[in-house]
Amino acid sequence: MLPGVILLMCFLGLQFRSCATDLCNWTGSGFAAGVDSRIVLQVQLRCTEGSVRWIYPGQALRVVLEPNLSTAMRTTVCIKPSPSLRGASVFIERAGQLQLLVTEGGRPEQQVFCFRADGPHRPAIYLQSSPQTAGSWSRRTMGFRYELLSNRSSAPNVGHSGLQASCQPCNNTQLLMAICNSDFVVRGYISDVSHDSLRQTSRVEVSAVRVYWQRSGVFEQRAPASASGSALTWRGHIHTLMQCHVKPGDGEFLFTGSEHFGEAWLGCAPRYKDFLSVYQTAWAARQNSCDFPLD
């Protein structure tokens, strides 16, 4: 921690003024900074995902993540800033040194920022308000959502500024691992593809024949468009990079991938008939990583 600052602690039920916290989320006020500009409010959270909301932002806020993880010494931390985070800078703390992650004048809500949390030090995120924001005392809230990712095959590649999907087709080994470790595994068709030029991502609309599993409710059952149909259908959308050039078309696919901040990101997505061939060959040789239900 920087010299000459005062830490106010807020963790595990201990409260300071309007500070309120649970094990995953924190909401608190920056009013204490009006007393002493050296004050840095410190929060400690113990979940692998949650949110931080800072009302009346003060000078600085330090968030230490201490998840109860029994595995993965190497962990990736991803944060998704709220739209109101403009006017603040975000740093990550490595061995007591601050490294800039989000600049004050950018558009942070358009991105997800990730960094490796290697070594013995607990990952810490440091928010610093601009002098104008810290001194205005207007009713304003800034914050972010966070996720900690372990080294799973379903986790996306992590670049300098955030989550990145790979456009390379999965090999047989990667595919067999993906059906075991992915946050979602869905069989279906591509019904439409739209693009976001600002984020450089594509949104793939999927009409699912079967949802084998999903971590959250990315895919939902909906009534059919025609009145003659009676059965509910599964629908959802998956994100990937524009450079992957995904297009709508014929064919049944097996979609796998990871979920981050309520969004599904594409991992391996072979044609279903190709997956069946790979899985049945591996099953006959007893090389499959897990059992998968076949229709």
Side-chain angles (χ1 to χ4, degrees):
M1 179 49 61
L2 299 176
V5 300
I6 301 173
L7 284 179
L8 296 178
M9 306 293 289
C10 173
F11 63 101
L12 297 182
L14 179 64
Q15 296 188 357
F16 177 81
R17 295 193 180 184
S18 59
C19 174
T21 185
D22 58 27
L23 296 180
C24 303
N25 308 299
W26 177 83
T27 298
S29 170
F31 267 128
V35 179
D36 193 327
S37 61
R38 297 174 301 165
I39 286 179
V40 174
L41 185 62
Q42 176 162 292
V43 178
Q44 290 177 282
L45 301 174
R46 292 192 177 274
C47 290
T48 55
E49 60 182 81
S51 63
V52 171
R53 294 179 67 245
W54 195 15
I55 305 171
Y56 300 107
Q59 184 67 25
L61 173 69
R62 182 174 183 257
V63 180
V64 180
L65 303 178
E66 298 182 295
N68 297 316
L69 292 179
S70 59
T71 59
M73 289 298 293
R74 294 187 63 190
T75 302
T76 297
V77 179
C78 293
I79 67 170
K80 184 174 184 178
S82 65
S84 59
L85 194 63
R86 299 182 194 179
S89 297
V90 181
F91 300 83
I92 57 174
E93 187 176 312
R94 297 181 187 272
Q97 301 295 318
L98 298 180
Q99 299 179 10
L100 183 64
L101 189 67
V102 181
T103 59
E104 178 182 323
R107 295 180 59 89
E109 72 277 8
Q110 300 293 342
Q111 301 184 57
V112 171
F113 298 87
C114 299
F115 61 93
R116 296 286 187 188
D118 300 332
H121 298 283
R122 299 166 299 179
I125 303 167
Y126 190 95
L127 273 67
Q128 185 175 34
S129 295
S130 65
Q132 294 82 2
T133 301
S136 65
W137 298 111
S138 59
R139 173 72 179 185
R140 182 180 177 188
T141 301
M142 62 175 56
F144 59 86
R145 296 166 63 189
Y146 69 89
E147 286 187 345
L148 279 76
L149 311 177
S150 60
N151 290 335
R152 302 174 306 165
S153 62
S154 64
N157 297 326
V158 178
H160 171 71
S161 61
L163 303 176
Q164 295 182 355
S166 174
C167 298
Q168 288 291 110
C170 294
N171 58 36
N172 292 351
T173 301
Q174 292 170 330
L175 175 56
L176 293 172
M177 288 298 296
I179 63 172
C180 303
N181 296 336
S182 292
D183 290 335
F184 63 88
V185 180
V186 174
R187 177 160 58 98
Y189 302 86
I190 299 175
S191 56
D192 192 21
V193 179
S194 57
H195 306 289
D196 186 334
S197 58
L198 187 61
R199 297 179 64 187
Q200 288 295 295
T201 60
S202 297
R203 173 178 162 132
V204 183
E205 300 288 342
V206 174
S207 177
V209 175
R210 181 172 179 182
V211 175
Y212 294 96
W213 56 78
Q214 59 178 328
R215 182 161 65 91
S216 61
V218 173
F219 292 88
E220 299 177 336
Q221 283 189 307
R222 302 177 185 175
S226 62
S228 58
S230 58
L232 296 175
T233 59
W234 289 93
R235 293 189 177 275
H237 56 268
I238 305 172
H239 296 270
T240 189
L241 298 181
M242 277 183 62
Q243 66 191 46
C244 295
H245 303 294
V246 177
K247 299 178 180 179
D250 297 332
E252 190 176 26
F253 294 86
L254 187 72
F255 300 96
T256 70
S258 53
E259 297 179 19
H260 304 285
F261 304 110
E263 295 181 341
W265 285 84
L266 188 63
C268 300
R271 291 188 179 273
Y272 184 66
K273 63 178 182 179
D274 295 334
F275 159 73
L276 284 179
S277 176
V278 171
Y279 180 82
Q280 289 170 345
T281 300
W283 186 85
R286 296 184 178 181
Q287 294 177 342
N288 51 311
S289 303
C290 64
D291 290 330
F292 188 84
L294 300 180
D295 296 335

